[in-house]
Amino acid sequence: MARIGIIGSRGRMGQAIAAVLAANGHECSGGVDKGENPESLADASDALVDFSSPAALRDNLHAAIGAGIPILIGTTGLDETHTAALDNAARAIPVLQTGNTSLGVTLLAHLVEEAAARLGDDWDIEVLEMHHRMKLDAPSGTALLLGEAAARARGIDLGANTESGRDGHTGQRAQGAIGFAALRGGTVAGEHSVILAGEEERITLSHSAENRSIFARGAVKGATWLIGKPAGRYSMNDVLGLE
C-alpha cells in the first residue's frame, strides 16, 4: 500500500485519483488546493501527484524535495522556466512530468514516434484534438506530447516546425511541419488523432478517452512506480518499459 498525496484534490482529476486510490488499496494521505501549503502533505506521503496549476509548480517541487519523495506532475500549460525547475528538482528526487497519464496515450505516442521515424518528411503530420468546453490551454498537453514524439523521431525542433491556428490565406503547407488543430465543446474527456498523410495514402493513429478515470489510473500507476526510484527525470514511457 502506498500513501499518495494529491495536489489539486478538489479538481476533477484530483477527485478521480482519490477514487482510484481507494479502489486499488492505496491510501490518499490528503490533499491541498490553491493557496494551501503542500509541505505537511509531502511529509505524510510516499509520493505526490500534482494536477494543480503552473503557478504552483515551484512550491510543489520544493515540498517534494524537502520531504525527499517523488512527484508526478500532470499539470499542463508549462513553459521553459517550469522545465528548468523540473530539471533542477530531478537532481534531488524522482520527477515524472507528462502531458497525459493515460497508458493508452503513452503507447500512442510511442507508435507515432515509430511511424514518423520510418516515413519521410514528404508525409505530412497533423495532430487533431478535442476537449470539453472548460479546458483552458490549447493545444492540449497531450497534443504537444504527440507532436514532440513526431518531432523527436525526425530530429527537428517542434517549436520551429509547428503550424497551428490556420485562418485566411495561409499559403501552402510547409514541408516537414507538424500541424495542430484544437476543438472545444461539450464534456469531451479527450480525443486525439495523429494523421500522417502521404501521396495517395493516409495513416491515422487515434485515442479516445471515455472517462477521466483512465488518466487517474495512469497517474496512480506512475506515482507508485516512482517510489524507490533514484533521482532523475522520468516519463510514462519508463512506467510501461518502452525506453
Side-chain angles (χ1 to χ4, degrees):
M1 181 184 72
R3 300 173 302 159
I4 307 298
I6 305 172
I7 302 173
S9 62
R10 296 194 197 104
R12 278 174 278 193
M13 271 301 300
Q15 294 176 50
I17 290 169
V20 170
L21 287 172
N24 287 272
H26 297 299
E27 176 186 344
C28 176
S29 52
V32 295
D33 291 276
K34 185 176 181 180
E36 298 176 334
N37 191 330
E39 290 185 3
S40 59
L41 175 64
D43 290 336
S45 305
D46 297 318
L48 297 176
V49 292
D50 179 9
F51 284 84
S52 56
S53 71
L57 179 67
R58 286 176 180 79
D59 286 344
N60 299 336
L61 291 173
H62 180 76
I65 292 170
I69 62 171
I71 185 168
L72 181 147
I73 306 292
T75 303
T76 58
L78 305 182
D79 60 26
E80 292 179 358
T81 64
H82 298 120
T83 299
L86 290 163
D87 289 341
N88 185 60
R91 298 186 181 98
I93 58 171
V95 175
L96 192 163
Q97 182 268 322
T98 179
N100 192 298
T101 53
S102 159
L103 302 180
V105 166
T106 300
L107 184 56
L108 173 62
H110 179 74
L111 296 173
V112 168
E113 186 168 354
E114 288 284 311
R118 285 163 173 71
L119 300 173
D121 65 6
D122 55 328
W123 283 70
D124 300 321
I125 298 177
E126 293 283 319
V127 183
L128 173 65
E129 54 104 341
M130 183 170 184
H131 283 84
H132 53 88
R133 63 171 68 94
M134 303 299 290
K135 187 165 180 61
L136 300 179
D137 55 315
S140 69
T142 302
L144 293 173
L145 181 151
L146 296 171
E148 287 285 4
R152 185 167 57 250
R154 291 187 168 176
I156 61 175
D157 176 67
L158 180 63
N161 293 275
T162 291
E163 288 191 4
S164 61
R166 299 186 184 105
D167 184 48
H169 188 73
T170 60
Q172 69 180 18
R173 191 186 194 285
Q175 182 168 342
I178 297 173
F180 291 88
L183 309 178
R184 296 289 178 267
T187 58
V188 178
E191 300 278 344
H192 294 86
S193 294
V194 179
I195 302 166
L196 299 100
E199 292 293 327
E200 301 180 343
E201 57 182 327
R202 186 169 65 251
I203 298 170
T204 301
L205 301 171
S206 299
H207 178 270
S208 297
E210 298 178 3
N211 188 286
R212 196 173 302 277
S213 64
I214 69 167
F215 309 119
R217 286 195 295 272
V220 169
K221 185 176 180 68
T224 54
W225 180 88
L226 277 178
I227 297 170
K229 294 293 186 294
R233 284 290 297 266
Y234 296 93
S235 72
M236 291 301 292
N237 275 3
D238 296 310
V239 177
L240 284 186
L242 297 175
E243 291 182 340

